[in-house]
Amino acid sequence: MRERGHSLEVLTPEDLQPRGLDARLLPIVLPVLVRRWVRRRPDLDLVVFHSYTGWLVGRPRRSLRTAVAFHGLEPLFHEALAAETRRQGRRLSARYALMYGTLMPRMLRRACRAADAVLCLNTQERDMLVSRGYAPAAKSRMVWHDAPDEFFQPHVYRPRAVSLLAVMQWLPTK
């Protein structure tokens, strides 16, 4: 990117999170912190928000372009988790159900409507975004998380593997 004259910054919750903040409050506090950070940065041309984090940002200036990127759509995950929990004869906590069943869809809808593009992983997510009014079809795009060909180089592998590294998030419904 630098060779083409671009720069990239990656901002994480840890970069913004005040010390001592209870992690359970992060879904509420993080969008406020992101809004403040983005509005202090007139040099930005494009901001890609993960999921709901940009729902409060809006468009601080006309030249700023925004995208919302999903790596698994929260409402679909919440529905699957709620169904599995019911199947097991249990219920989600009231706090979790309020956050992810009621507030999160509203935050996501607002973030998607304000964005120039909404990126998702598959047709199920795209269909849900469009059918439930989160984003029009024209703004919804599917992207895949793959590695470009240049990442793959010839390599001689050991005849028998002895170690494995898996870097992932483990959620049973996924």
Side-chain angles (χ1 to χ4, degrees):
M1 288 183 62
R2 281 191 193 112
E3 291 173 6
R4 294 182 178 181
H6 303 290
S7 66
L8 169 70
E9 289 182 60
V10 177
L11 186 66
T12 69
E14 291 78 21
D15 296 326
L16 299 174
Q17 187 175 348
R19 281 196 188 105
L21 178 69
D22 186 331
R24 294 175 293 186
L25 296 175
L26 197 57
I28 302 297
V29 174
L30 186 58
V32 174
L33 299 172
V34 169
R35 176 186 173 140
R36 187 179 338 160
W37 191 88
V38 169
R39 288 177 181 250
R40 290 180 182 166
R41 296 292 307 271
D43 59 314
L44 299 174
D45 298 308
L46 170 67
V47 179
V48 179
F49 297 106
H50 176 255
S51 180
Y52 72 98
T53 58
W55 80 272
L56 280 177
V57 173
R59 188 174 303 239
R61 61 184 193 288
R62 293 177 58 95
S63 63
L64 180 64
R65 296 292 175 239
T66 62
V68 175
F70 291 101
H71 309 286
L73 197 52
E74 286 92 338
L76 292 176
F77 175 73
H78 174 75
E79 290 167 8
L81 182 62
E84 178 63 20
T85 304
R86 279 192 306 275
R87 190 188 68 73
Q88 295 173 0
R90 299 180 302 127
R91 291 185 346 184
L92 297 172
S93 73
R95 185 181 68 222
Y96 185 90
L98 173 66
M99 182 65 214
Y100 291 95
T102 304
L103 298 177
M104 184 62 67
R106 291 177 179 158
M107 291 188 283
L108 292 173
R109 192 172 282 112
R110 183 168 174 183
C112 291
R113 287 179 178 168
D116 295 294
V118 179
L119 312 174
C120 59
L121 295 177
N122 55 53
T123 54
Q124 180 188 14
E125 290 181 0
R126 186 171 188 270
D127 291 348
M128 193 229 99
L129 289 166
V130 173
S131 68
R132 296 189 193 176
Y134 284 72
K139 281 194 339 186
S140 304
R141 294 179 179 82
M142 287 188 299
V143 295
W144 292 268
H145 301 300
D146 60 355
D149 290 340
E150 54 268 16
F151 279 38
F152 298 98
Q153 301 172 2
H155 183 77
V156 177
Y157 292 95
R158 298 180 198 163
R160 181 172 182 264
V162 294
S163 63
L164 168 69
L165 170 65
V167 180
M168 63 188 77
Q169 181 177 13
W170 181 258
L171 299 171
T173 56
K174 288 186 178 183

